[in-house]
Every structure is written in C-alpha cells, then in structure tokens.
Amino acid sequence: MAKEKSFDDVMSELENIVEKLEKADIPLEEAVDYYQKGIELSKWCDERLKHVEDKVVSLIDENNNKVPLDDEEV
Amino acid sequence: MAKEKSFDDVMSELENIVEKLEKADIPLEEAVDYYQKGIELSKWCDERLKHVEDKVVSLIDENNNKVPLDDEEV
Amino acid sequence: MAKEKSFDDVMSELENIVEKLEKADIPLEEAVDYYQKGIELSKWCDERLKHVEDKVVSLIDENNNKVPLDDEEV
Amino acid sequence: MAKEKSFDDVMSELENIVEKLEKADIPLEEAVDYYQKGIELSKWCDERLKHVEDKVVSLIDENNNKVPLDDEEV
Amino acid sequence: MAKEKSFDDVMSELENIVEKLEKADIPLEEAVDYYQKGIELSKWCDERLKHVEDKVVSLIDENNNKVPLDDEEV
Amino acid sequence: MAKEKSFDDVMSELENIVEKLEKADIPLEEAVDYYQKGIELSKWCDERLKHVEDKVVSLIDENNNKVPLDDEEV
Amino acid sequence: MTDQYLTVSALTRYIKRKFELDQHLTTVWLRAEISNFKHHNRGHMYFTLKDDQARIMAVMFNGYNRALNFQPENGMDVIVKGQVSVYEAQGQYQLYVHEMIPDGVGALHVAYEQLKANLEREGLFSETRKLPIVKFPKRIAIVTAKTGAAVRDIISTIMRRYPIVDVTVYQTLVQGNDAKFEIVDRLKQINQEASADTIILGRGGGSIEELWAFNEEMVARTIAESSIPIITGIGHETDFTIADFVSDLRAPTPTAAAELAVPSLVEVTRELKQLTGKLDEQLMQRLKDKKYQLERLTSSYAFKYPKQLINEKEQELDRMVDRLQKASLRQAVEKRQAFDYLVKRIETVDLKHLVKQEQVKIDQRKKQIETNFYQQYQRHLQRFQTQLNKLELLSPLKIMQRGYSLSYDKNKQLVKSVKQIVPGDSLTLRLRDGDLDCQVWGIEEKDNVTGGKKNGERKEF
C-alpha cells in the first residue's frame, strides 16, 4: 500500500469493503477477494494506528516527565 | 473447463442441467449427457470450493496471527 | 443397428412392432419376423440401458473417488 | 522556533491547534501533525515560562536586596 | 535613568506601568519588561526621596539653628 | 538676596511659596526648590526683624532743613 | 366744541410733566430765607423760601431732612438743593428740597460739592487707580503741622507698632490760604526725592473752614498724581474731605492713619513664624504624600506579586497541554474505535459458512442431477420393459406350442410353399422347444389351401 494514502482514505475504503461484504447476495469469490482486501487494509490501518498511538503515548510520557500535570487527568 | 468461468456461472449451469433433467420427456442419451456434464460441473465446483475454502482458512489464520484481537471473537 | 440411432427411436420402433404383433390377423410368419425383429431391438435397448447404467456407475465411482465430500451428504 | 515570537502568540497558536484537534472529524495524519506541533509549542512555552520565572525571581531578589519590602509577601 | 527626569514624571511612569501590570491580559514578555522597568523606577524614586529627605533634614537643621520651630513638627 | 527687596515683597514671596507648597500635586523637585527658597526668605525676614535699630524721627522744617525731632515733642 | 376743553387734572398733569422734563428745574441750588416753617409731626418739613421780591413754597420730606445737622427756623438764611415740581391737588408749584445747609458756609459747600462731582466724574475717586499700601514700609513721610496732637499721635503710634521704619515729618501749614500750596509742595517734594514708600497726610479736627485746604482742587490733584501711596487722616471720623476721596487710603483720624501705615511688629513676627512653620509642614506633607504614593504603587498587587503574572500563564499552559493531550488521545481512540468496529464487522463475515452454503448447494444439485437422471433412466427402463413384456406375450412361438413348427430354408427364410424347395434341400424345422435340421426327401404338391392334392404329382429326392 502506498504510504501516501491517508488513514482516513483507507478507512473509507475498508468501510466500503465491509459494506459490500455485508450484502447477502455477494458472489463467493468476490466476497473472498473483498475479504482478502479488507484484511490487508485493516492490517495497514492497524499498523498506522499503532504507530500513531505509540507516538502520542510516548510524547505524552515524555511531556509528563517535563511538565507534570495531574495524573488522573492525563 | 476454462478457469475463467466463475463459480457462480458454473453453479447456474449446474442448475440449468438440473432443470433440464427434471423435464419428463428427455431422451436417454441427452439425459446421460446432461448427467455426465452435471457430474463434471459439480466436480469442478467442488474443487473450486475446496480451493476457496483453503484460501479462506489461510486468510483467517493469517489474520488471526498478525492482528490478534479478542481471542473469543475470532 | 446403427449407433446413431437413439434409444427413443429404437423404442418407438419396438413399440411399433409390438403394436403390429397385437393385431390378431397377422400371419404367423410375419409375426415371427416382427417378433424376431422385436427381440433384436429389445436386445439393443437392453444393452443400451445396461451401458448407461455402467457409465453412471463409473461416473459415480469416479466422482466419489476424486472429490470425497461428506459421506452422509453424497 | 524564532525567539521573536511572544509567549502569548505561541499560546494562541497552541490554542488554535488544540481547537482543531478537538474537532471530531480531523484526519489522523493531520491530527498527529497537530499533536506533534502542539507538543513542540507547549514545550517552547514551558521553557519560556521557566526562563521568565527565573528572570522574575532574580529581579525580586535584586529588588529585595536594594528596596526591602515585606519579606513574607514577596 | 537620566537625572533630568523629575520625580513626578518617573512616578507617573511607574503608575502607568502598575496600571498596565494590573490588566489581566498583558502579554507575558511585556509583563516582565514592565515589572523590570517598574522595579528600576521604584528604586530610582526611593533613592530620590531619600536624597530629598536628607537634604530637607539638613536644611531644617540649618534653619532650626536660626529660627527654632516646634521640634515635634520636623 | 538683594538688599533692595522690600520686606513686604519678601513676605509676599514667602506667602506665595507657602501657598504653592500647599498644593498637593506639586512636583517633588519644585517643592524642594520652593522650600529652600522659602527658608532663605524666612531667614532674611527674620534677620530683618531682629535687626531693629533705633530709628530717628527727623523733621523737614519750613526751610527744608532736616533736623532730628525732639523726643519731648513726639 | 366741548372736545376742545381739558380737564383741570389733565392740564395740571401736563404742566407737571413740563416741570419734570426741564433740566434746570430738576436740580436747583437756591439761597433764600425760611419763613412759615412747620415741622409736621410725621416728620416732613413745610416752609416758604423767600427773598426781597419773591417766594416759593417748599417741602423737605422726612427721608431728606433726617440728614440735617442743624434745626431750620424762620428767618434763617439757607442754601438748599432740590427739584421744582407741581403739587397737583393744589395746582401749586413748589420746591422739593433734598439738601439744606445754613448760609455763610453755604458757598464753601457748593464749591465742595461741585469739585467733588467734577473729580468723581473724572474718575479720580475710582478704586482702580488707588495705589496699594505697602504692607511693610521702610520709610514713611508724614505731611502735617510740626506741632499739635496729630503729629505726636502719628509718630508715637508708628514707633509703638513698627519701630524699624524711618519716619520723616514734612512740616506744612494745614490751614489758611497758603496751606494748600505748602501741602502740594511737600507732596511733590517727597515724590521727587522718592524719600518714602508711604505718605501720611494728616491734620487734627477742625471746622470746615479750618479743614478747607484739604478740599482744594490742587491738593486733590497732587494727591492723585502721587506715585507714592498716600494715607489721609484728616479731622474726625465724620469729616470727609476731597483729599480723603482722592487718597489711596482714608483713615478716620491721624492715629488711625498711622495704624494703617505700618503693621505691628509682633504680628509680623508671628506671621513669619507661621509661614516658616507652614513651609516645613507643607514640605514634610509633600514628602509624605510622595512616599505614600510610591508605597501605594510598589505595593500594588501586580507589582508585589509578579509571580502571579507567570502563575496565570502557567495554569493557562497546563490547561492547554491537558486539552492537547486529551484531544489527541481522543482522536486516536476514536480512530481506533472506528477501526475496531470495521474489523469486527469484517470478522463477522463468515466466509466458511458461505463456503459451506455453496457446498450444500453443489451437493443438492448433484443429488438432484442423480435423482432426476435416475428418474429418466427408470422411465426409459420401464418403457422398455413394458414393450419387452408385451413382445414376450405376443411371441408367435407360443402358437407352436400347440404343435406347429416353422420351416426355414438354408437362407433362414420361412418356407411358405413347396415350390420354394427342391428335394435334397436342407430345412430347419423350428419347434416349440428347439430346431430340427432336416433334409427334404420328396415334395408332394397339393391344391391350394384346401389341401387337395394337385395332380397327384410327386417329386422325390
């Protein structure tokens, strides 16, 4: 998957696929293809999200070390 | 049978044969031909399905291995 | 008897002969001929049927050997 | 960050970013960029404040030495 | 601070600064600058007053030698 | 202080100075200057008053001769 | 015709208006003798003024005659000032007297009044042209007679109050014809010499004639021209001379003039002390004010607690960082939730089930094909068996069970006539239960089907 694609674009794509998969009359092979594509996209999204989550958390940790705020709040 | 044929096409064909065989006045040789064709097609479908099943299993396995979500759910 | 002849054609012929034989005033010699012909045709039909049966059995065997599905289902 | 920027300008910038982040429909990558920028700005503000505080403390000390006001108050 | 400035001018300046400092929305850097300036000015005023007091006391002493006034007043 | 100045003028000046000093909003330096001037003036007046000589009352007679007036006469 | 007549009242009023409009009649100075004097008990005076040839009725109302310092009586020569008008009720013109003095001094009074009026008109009495009296004079010139109570009173008063002043007495005549010249000379002399900062012009009490020098125009003008302030103390309290009007300050008596000319030394000393005290007091007060002002400024909240300026910013920053982190986390969490939801939805797609469904479908088809084919097969089989059964039932071989047989030649042709056969031919004789191979030995032809022998011909093998 190209790095240029945004998370939200990919999420839209994924949602699209999920909707297609949820239709009752989808041909089996198409379903499998969509499923495969969906798995692929969800992996990409997951990695992306994990990366972001790690970043946010690490920045917050780092920040908390320097600017201690109320622990309950953060 | 050409690989290009879709599973659903073949299933339609198969159904077609069933309908034809249901007609009362079908000549024996034709019936045999249909029968032979039907068996052939159903074999093809079986194989195809088997192949799809393998793929599905491997996709699900793959998915489960890389994106471990709640175990009970998957 | 030509192989091109269909089972139904032959059956029609046989039926024809039987009808002729059912007529009371048919000379014996003719009756014998018809009968003889009828026997011939019936033999052909019988063979034909047997042949079909064999073929079906072999197809079923073949099918069962190559695509073993759930035993109960097939 | 350029030294010429005032604390209040940077705070406004920070607030701007926070407001953007508080909107529900922001794309993930933008959110990350905003967040990173926000952290950067908040660090800058923090340092600025520390710097200013030191300055004020030294001014107070200096003031107390030369123009003694109420000790408890300052 | 230039000696030419009058005590009252400097007091006005100081008052001005105090007013500005009392405004809640004053930018940080400005506030500190004002504070610094205010400290400077208040020192100057204080010294000025002390100087004047000394001068007056010496004048009064001188004066009292020739025109004795009520001691309690001075 | 010039000798030519009359006691009257100096007293007025002194009064003037006191009036000016009574104004609450007089600049500090001016106040000191006024004070200094006032002290000077009051000294001058004081000296003037202390310096009471026996004044001779003289008479300009019909002949425009200046003669001391007899004490008995006065 | 009657319209041309006036009423007496109208005529009288007309005449009265004429009197009142005549300037000569509104201010009249008159010298005459009083007769028929009557002082009415309500205060008004009624009398006749006469000379050798004429008389005029006169009235002096209460308000005017109260100022008189003598009692008018019949035969008295007087000078009066008044206005001529008409008493309408009597149709009588009369003099309404405003002022009255006994004749003799009368001429002087007229001169006095006329000079006073002139000088006043010139503005010599105006307060604005009066010089201020020096509060603390250094040299005082006293213009008065060398001897007498006046000069003594003046000098002693000055010496008692303010001994530090120089006093010079400029001797002068104060009565008689030459007095005015001496007074003028002295005043001019003092001005020329600039030998004083205050002049006291004084004289003791006396009659109007004795004080007359001070009513002379030249004296008045000299006083007015003086560049040194002049205090007049002439006569008694009730005496007002022209000099008094022109001088810069009028004192009722010579002693009073001395008091006005100099301050009291005791008072001056007290005043100086007060001023000096105020000087200290005020400066200290100003210093106190400034100190207080400075203290107020330096103790202002913002100035005293500068950290407060930072504290607010600190809090602001903390709040902002909180918001930043919350918002960022929320963003991540929301994306995660949205994502997880999608993933869950994908996972609920049961592909295995789909496969199973397809498998079931395939199997169904397969079964249907088999069933349908079997039915077809059965149909064909039945059809066949039906015919086969029928065929068997109709088999001509059954006829042969009754003893018939069928003969077939060597070509397997049914032999239907003897003519098909020659002796020696082989025949197959089919019986019910088998075939017999036979050879024809002889042929015997018979007629037709009836079975009669044909000519009895017999062929033999």
Side-chain angles (χ1 to χ4, degrees):
Chain A
M1 194 148 303
K3 262 276 171 184
E4 301 81 40
K5 277 199 168 178
S6 80
F7 179 85
D8 287 69
D9 288 346
V10 176
M11 280 288 281
S12 297
E13 220 178 314
L14 187 57
E15 181 143 32
N16 216 7
I17 280 167
V18 170
E19 272 167 22
K20 275 174 182 158
L21 275 173
E22 279 167 346
K23 280 181 189 159
D25 58 347
I26 188 172
L28 181 65
E29 279 150 329
E30 251 179 78
V32 172
D33 287 350
Y34 280 134
Y35 187 79
Q36 187 163 14
K37 182 78 179 169
I39 292 296
E40 231 178 287
L41 293 178
S42 76
K43 265 185 214 159
W44 184 89
C45 284
D46 190 54
E47 277 165 32
R48 241 311 155 74
L49 259 182
K50 280 217 178 80
H51 177 72
V52 166
E53 278 163 341
D54 290 350
K55 199 169 187 176
V56 168
V57 167
S58 78
L59 280 171
I60 286 173
D61 285 351
E62 193 183 338
N63 194 30
N64 284 352
N65 291 341
K66 301 208 176 181
V67 187
L69 296 168
D70 295 351
D71 286 326
E72 313 89 50
E73 298 263 326
V74 179
Chain B
M1 193 148 302
K3 260 275 171 183
E4 301 82 40
K5 277 200 167 177
S6 81
F7 183 85
D8 283 65
D9 288 347
V10 176
M11 281 295 279
S12 297
E13 225 178 311
L14 197 56
E15 200 149 352
N16 217 11
I17 282 167
V18 170
E19 273 168 25
K20 275 177 178 157
L21 276 175
E22 273 171 349
K23 281 179 188 162
D25 56 349
I26 189 169
L28 182 66
E29 286 83 2
E30 255 181 72
V32 172
D33 285 350
Y34 281 134
Y35 179 72
Q36 193 161 9
K37 182 78 177 171
I39 290 299
E40 234 177 288
L41 291 177
S42 71
K43 257 189 229 164
W44 183 90
C45 282
D46 272 340
E47 277 167 31
R48 202 57 184 295
L49 200 57
K50 187 81 197 155
H51 177 72
V52 167
E53 202 177 17
D54 289 349
K55 192 169 179 180
V56 165
V57 167
S58 79
L59 276 173
I60 289 171
D61 285 352
E62 195 182 340
N63 190 31
N64 288 350
N65 290 341
K66 300 217 174 174
V67 189
L69 294 169
D70 295 352
D71 286 325
E72 313 88 49
E73 300 262 327
V74 179
Chain C
M1 194 151 297
K3 262 272 171 181
E4 302 83 39
K5 275 198 169 177
S6 78
F7 180 84
D8 282 61
D9 289 346
V10 176
M11 275 300 286
S12 294
E13 220 178 316
L14 183 58
E15 266 159 357
N16 217 10
I17 282 167
V18 169
E19 265 170 36
K20 277 172 179 162
L21 278 174
E22 277 170 341
K23 282 174 187 167
D25 56 349
I26 189 171
L28 184 61
E29 313 89 77
E30 240 178 276
V32 170
D33 285 348
Y34 280 132
Y35 180 73
Q36 218 153 8
K37 182 70 178 175
I39 289 300
E40 236 175 289
L41 289 176
S42 72
K43 267 184 203 158
W44 185 89
C45 282
D46 191 50
E47 275 165 35
R48 225 347 147 49
L49 281 172
K50 278 211 174 78
H51 176 72
V52 166
E53 214 171 346
D54 290 349
K55 192 169 184 179
V56 167
V57 167
S58 79
L59 275 172
I60 287 170
D61 284 353
E62 194 183 341
N63 193 28
N64 286 352
N65 290 342
K66 300 212 174 173
V67 190
L69 294 169
D70 295 352
D71 286 327
E72 313 90 50
E73 299 259 329
V74 178
Chain D
M1 194 149 305
K3 261 277 170 183
E4 300 81 41
K5 278 196 167 178
S6 80
F7 178 86
D8 290 65
D9 287 347
V10 176
M11 279 295 281
S12 297
E13 220 179 315
L14 184 55
E15 180 145 32
N16 216 7
I17 280 168
V18 169
E19 271 167 22
K20 274 173 185 161
L21 273 175
E22 279 168 348
K23 280 181 191 161
D25 56 349
I26 190 169
L28 184 69
E29 285 83 2
E30 255 181 71
V32 172
D33 288 351
Y34 280 135
Y35 180 64
Q36 206 154 6
K37 181 80 181 166
I39 290 295
E40 233 178 283
L41 293 178
S42 75
K43 271 184 201 158
W44 185 90
C45 285
D46 189 53
E47 276 165 32
R48 225 337 145 57
L49 268 179
K50 285 215 175 78
H51 174 74
V52 166
E53 205 172 9
D54 290 349
K55 191 170 177 181
V56 167
V57 166
S58 78
L59 279 172
I60 289 171
D61 288 351
E62 196 183 336
N63 190 29
N64 285 351
N65 291 342
K66 302 214 176 176
V67 187
L69 296 169
D70 294 352
D71 285 327
E72 314 89 50
E73 302 264 322
V74 180
Chain E
M1 195 151 303
K3 261 277 169 180
E4 298 83 40
K5 278 198 167 177
S6 80
F7 179 86
D8 286 70
D9 287 347
V10 175
M11 283 290 281
S12 297
E13 222 178 313
L14 186 57
E15 181 140 32
N16 216 6
I17 279 167
V18 168
E19 267 168 32
K20 275 172 184 161
L21 277 177
E22 275 166 352
K23 279 181 192 162
D25 57 348
I26 188 170
L28 183 69
E29 286 86 357
E30 258 181 67
V32 174
D33 288 351
Y34 280 134
Y35 180 69
Q36 188 164 14
K37 183 80 181 166
I39 291 293
E40 237 178 280
L41 293 179
S42 75
K43 265 186 217 161
W44 185 90
C45 284
D46 197 54
E47 279 166 30
R48 220 355 149 42
L49 265 180
K50 283 217 176 76
H51 175 74
V52 167
E53 256 172 326
D54 291 349
K55 191 172 178 179
V56 167
V57 167
S58 77
L59 277 172
I60 286 172
D61 284 352
E62 199 182 333
N63 194 28
N64 281 352
N65 290 340
K66 305 211 174 179
V67 187
L69 297 167
D70 294 351
D71 285 327
E72 309 91 55
E73 297 267 326
V74 181
Chain F
M1 190 149 306
K3 262 278 171 183
E4 301 83 42
K5 276 203 167 173
S6 73
F7 188 84
D8 191 31
D9 289 344
V10 176
M11 280 294 278
S12 298
E13 221 178 316
L14 188 55
E15 223 162 318
N16 216 8
I17 279 167
V18 169
E19 267 170 33
K20 275 173 183 160
L21 271 177
E22 275 169 347
K23 281 179 191 164
D25 58 349
I26 188 171
L28 182 69
E29 286 84 359
E30 256 180 70
V32 173
D33 288 351
Y34 281 133
Y35 179 71
Q36 203 157 6
K37 181 82 181 165
I39 291 297
E40 244 177 276
L41 294 177
S42 83
K43 268 185 211 162
W44 184 90
C45 286
D46 193 51
E47 276 167 30
R48 227 352 166 29
L49 284 177
K50 284 217 175 95
H51 186 68
V52 179
E53 287 168 13
D54 286 338
K55 293 287 178 179
V56 177
V57 177
S58 52
L59 173 75
I60 307 286
D61 62 14
E62 305 101 281
N63 305 318
N64 242 355
N65 292 332
K66 195 169 184 176
V67 289
L69 203 66
D70 293 345
D71 283 345
E72 312 91 56
E73 302 245 346
V74 178
Chain G
M1 286 293 275
T2 50
D3 286 352
Q4 291 180 348
Y5 297 109
L6 293 169
T7 63
V8 175
S9 301
L11 175 63
T12 309
R13 216 167 291 138
Y14 177 77
I15 291 167
K16 185 178 184 181
R17 179 133 351 116
K18 284 287 172 191
F19 272 90
E20 282 172 353
L21 288 174
D22 190 324
Q23 283 193 343
H24 296 290
L25 295 180
T26 50
T27 309
V28 175
W29 287 93
L30 202 64
R31 177 181 284 173
E33 187 190 324
I34 295 174
S35 63
N36 299 327
F37 181 83
K38 185 178 180 191
H39 198 163
H40 200 278
N41 55 15
R42 285 183 55 234
H44 309 319
M45 292 174 174
Y46 298 95
F47 48 93
T48 305
L49 292 172
K50 66 172 188 182
D51 59 14
D52 295 342
Q53 280 106 40
R55 58 181 57 210
I56 183 170
M57 304 290 278
V59 60
M60 190 173 197
F61 290 118
N62 193 16
Y64 294 106
N65 69 38
R66 231 183 281 142
L68 289 176
N69 50 7
F70 67 98
Q71 180 60 40
E73 51 195 61
N74 288 330
M76 188 179 270
D77 288 331
V78 291
I79 289 172
V80 296
K81 181 188 172 193
Q83 180 186 6
V84 179
S85 189
V86 174
Y87 175 47
E88 289 176 50
Q90 296 285 324
Q92 195 173 54
Y93 71 88
Q94 57 184 16
L95 185 68
Y96 291 84
V97 179
H98 296 156
E99 291 175 27
M100 177 158 65
I101 50 173
D103 194 12
V105 293
L108 288 178
H109 259 286
V110 172
Y112 171 89
E113 288 294 345
Q114 283 170 349
L115 178 63
K116 189 183 161 201
N118 285 339
L119 293 181
E120 186 160 24
R121 209 176 304 123
E122 275 183 47
L124 259 61
F125 301 169
S126 160
E127 287 299 322
T128 56
R129 61 175 307 285
K130 298 202 183 231
L131 300 172
I133 306 303
V134 178
K135 206 174 169 190
F136 305 99
K138 278 191 281 189
R139 289 171 298 172
I140 292 180
I142 304 169
V143 178
T144 190
K146 178 189 171 186
T147 55
V151 73
R152 273 202 310 276
D153 289 347
I154 292 169
I155 291 170
S156 65
T157 302
I158 288 174
M159 283 308 153
R160 175 172 47 80
R161 285 173 63 83
Y162 199 63
I164 62 172
V165 73
D166 286 331
V167 176
T168 308
V169 177
Y170 285 80
Q171 190 204 336
T172 179
L173 290 174
V174 292
Q175 68 181 75
N177 282 336
D178 293 336
K180 59 185 175 193
F181 298 114
E182 282 198 14
I183 290 169
V184 166
D185 285 348
R186 284 311 193 195
L187 291 178
K188 282 186 174 165
Q189 184 189 357
I190 297 164
N191 266 287
Q192 269 168 13
E193 289 171 359
S195 53
D197 39 30
T198 303
I199 298 170
I200 297 174
L201 180 57
R203 194 207 184 282
S207 67
I208 183 167
E209 289 89 347
E210 285 169 341
L211 297 178
W212 195 252
F214 297 95
N215 285 326
E216 292 289 352
E217 183 172 358
M218 62 186 299
V219 172
R221 290 198 184 278
T222 306
I223 290 171
E225 282 161 15
S226 172
S227 55
I228 298 167
I230 296 174
I231 302 172
T232 49
I234 298 157
H236 298 298
E237 206 157 329
T238 53
D239 297 319
F240 276 87
T241 63
I242 298 291
D244 285 325
F245 289 115
V246 184
S247 74
D248 298 297
L249 184 64
R250 184 240 173 199
T253 61
T255 305
E259 275 171 357
L260 290 174
V262 294
S264 156
L265 189 64
V266 178
E267 276 168 28
V268 173
T269 309
R270 196 188 302 135
E271 202 178 325
L272 179 63
K273 215 170 183 175
Q274 266 174 1
L275 280 176
T276 313
K278 267 186 185 173
L279 211 56
D280 287 343
E281 216 174 281
Q282 289 305 322
L283 183 72
M284 288 325 243
Q285 189 58 46
R286 296 291 79 80
L287 270 174
K288 225 189 254 175
D289 288 350
K290 303 285 177 190
K291 248 185 179 167
Y292 173 74
Q293 201 184 345
L294 180 61
E295 213 173 279
R296 183 178 59 78
L297 285 177
T298 52
S299 64
S300 70
Y301 187 78
F303 202 72
K304 218 167 176 184
Y305 306 105
K307 277 186 178 170
Q308 200 60 30
L309 295 170
I310 298 165
N311 286 349
E312 264 179 40
K313 304 284 181 185
E314 290 272 14
Q315 277 183 346
E316 213 179 305
L317 178 60
D318 286 354
R319 263 207 315 276
M320 206 57 79
V321 170
D322 272 2
R323 275 172 71 191
L324 178 69
Q325 292 183 349
K326 265 185 207 159
S328 303
L329 275 179
R330 193 179 54 78
Q331 285 286 351
V333 167
E334 273 176 16
K335 299 285 179 193
R336 170 58 76 190
Q337 279 173 347
F339 171 67
D340 285 353
Y341 177 60
L342 282 180
V343 169
K344 226 167 236 174
R345 276 165 75 190
I346 288 183
E347 278 162 0
T348 50
V349 175
D350 192 351
L351 282 182
K352 277 183 178 168
H353 180 69
L354 279 181
V355 170
K356 227 172 218 172
Q357 271 182 333
E358 291 300 325
Q359 188 63 63
V360 169
K361 240 192 252 174
I362 293 170
D363 291 347
Q364 270 176 354
R365 299 283 177 282
K366 213 190 271 174
K367 222 176 213 168
Q368 274 175 317
I369 286 172
E370 277 169 6
T371 311
N372 290 349
F373 177 76
Y374 182 71
Q375 276 170 0
Q376 289 287 348
Y377 179 77
Q378 283 298 317
R379 188 173 55 83
H380 286 293
L381 188 64
Q382 262 172 16
R383 190 181 173 195
F384 168 66
Q385 273 170 351
T386 306
Q387 295 310 317
L388 189 63
N389 286 340
K390 275 184 181 172
L391 192 65
E392 274 167 6
L393 283 174
L394 295 170
S395 170
L397 300 178
K398 282 180 180 163
I399 296 172
M400 287 189 284
Q401 280 179 337
R402 283 179 267 159
Y404 295 104
S405 63
L406 291 169
S407 307
Y408 297 90
D409 60 13
K410 56 188 183 210
N411 297 321
K412 300 273 184 187
Q413 294 292 315
L414 189 70
V415 180
K416 295 173 183 171
S417 169
V418 292
K419 288 170 182 153
Q420 285 175 259
I421 301 292
V422 290
D425 284 352
S426 292
L427 288 175
T428 301
L429 208 62
R430 178 161 293 174
L431 299 171
R432 185 193 54 92
D433 54 354
D435 290 351
L436 294 174
D437 286 337
C438 306
Q439 196 165 27
V440 178
W441 299 102
I443 297 166
E444 192 177 334
E445 237 180 300
K446 287 184 182 167
D447 283 347
N448 288 335
V449 261
T450 53
K453 276 187 186 168
K454 204 179 176 183
N455 301 329
E457 189 184 346
R458 172 131 175 180
K459 286 173 188 170
E460 297 279 332
F461 180 71

